[in-house]
Amino acid sequence: MQYENTNNENNNIGTQDIQKFKKYIRTEKKADERPKVIVMGRSNVGKSTFVKIVTGKNVRVGKKPGVTLKITEYDMGTYILVDLPGFGFMEGIEKKAQEKIKDQIIDYVEDNKNTIAASIHILDAKSFMDIVERWDNKGEVPIDLEMADFLEELELNPIFVVNKMDKIKNSEWDNHLDRVSETLGFLPPWRQWLDNFVPAITRDNYGIDGIKHRINKRINGFKKSKK
């Protein structure tokens, strides 16, 4: 017995429909497989200034903490530079929202850890040690150290940019950087960890070339590991 298919509407797939489907397949956006370089740090450490200098883009820079509140990706040709929101205290931002931003950063890094070739953690040379000591007196761990440990746990081999070194006397640079490196778990002297630490004054372009060199070194190593 033969049955007549009365559902002509479903069977009348014309040539135009097929062409539209093929076009959709051709134009569907492919995932960008280029390595990522993430930039993170407490609010008001000079992160936006660094991103502006490196990308040449008109990045919003402000004196108040919490200028960057969203994740922004920049096409750098051979890699993607990712500007993550500043964490920690942000003027005018409720604590609940600050925690949400922190979670957003963690989620992004965890979701993209396999494509992250380098992580840059920017610190304020002077306030970093002040914050650590203040939290230590309360028996608590500051978010700066939490994030540093987080990057280490994911084996992202962070580059610590110790920014605003102009706040430290030149004669005290080495001693101060020894303290910073030891606080982050690196035995002093800091100079034995030149691949991990860069003293900088980003607003004056000081240290920028050193950071770029370390980024390129990590990207090259990342590409070799993927072959």
Side-chain angles (χ1 to χ4, degrees), residues 19-178:
Q19 292 302 321
K20 285 180 181 179
F21 182 68
K22 288 182 177 180
K23 184 178 180 181
Y24 171 77
I25 294 175
R26 288 197 302 269
T27 59
E28 188 175 9
K29 187 177 180 181
K30 294 182 179 180
D32 197 322
E33 297 180 353
R34 284 177 295 175
K36 292 182 174 65
V37 176
I38 60 172
V39 184
M40 67 192 313
R42 179 179 283 273
S43 298
N44 207 30
V45 295
K47 186 167 60 66
S48 295
T49 299
F50 168 75
V51 172
K52 182 177 182 179
I53 292 171
V54 172
T55 64
K57 304 293 184 180
N58 188 25
V59 180
R60 185 184 172 200
V61 178
K63 293 183 179 180
K64 289 184 178 181
V67 169
T68 305
L69 296 175
K70 64 178 181 178
I71 296 172
T72 307
E73 296 185 346
Y74 296 92
D75 187 340
M76 301 298 291
T78 57
Y79 69 92
I80 303 296
L81 186 75
V82 184
D83 184 14
L84 296 171
F87 53 74
F89 170 76
M90 285 170 267
E91 187 174 336
I93 306 296
E94 294 182 358
K95 189 172 182 179
K96 185 177 180 180
Q98 294 175 22
E99 286 296 322
K100 187 174 181 180
I101 291 171
K102 175 186 171 183
D103 292 341
Q104 181 186 16
I105 294 170
I106 291 173
D107 289 344
Y108 181 91
V109 176
E110 287 182 335
D111 291 344
N112 293 276
K113 63 181 180 180
N114 293 329
T115 59
I116 295 174
S119 57
I120 300 171
H121 188 169
I122 302 180
L123 308 168
D124 183 310
K126 188 174 186 303
S127 68
F128 171 69
M129 293 307 305
D130 292 340
I131 290 169
V132 169
E133 290 174 7
R134 186 164 64 247
W135 281 68
D136 188 53
N137 290 334
K138 296 188 294 184
E140 299 178 18
V141 179
I143 189 174
D144 315 68
L145 294 185
E146 285 183 3
M147 287 298 190
D149 289 342
F150 172 63
L151 294 176
E152 291 286 356
E153 286 173 8
L154 294 183
E155 299 181 347
L156 294 180
N157 192 22
I159 301 166
F160 293 102
V161 176
V162 188
N163 194 25
K164 302 186 180 183
M165 285 297 293
D166 50 316
K167 293 182 179 180
I168 310 298
K169 292 181 180 179
N170 289 346
S171 60
E172 297 177 1
W173 272 33
D174 278 334
N175 287 336
H176 189 82
L177 289 167
D178 282 347

Side-chain angles (χ1 to χ4, degrees), residues 199-212:
I201 308 172
T202 54
R203 69 177 184 183
D204 296 334
N205 280 315
Y206 181 86
I208 297 295
D209 288 341
I211 300 168
K212 288 180 178 179

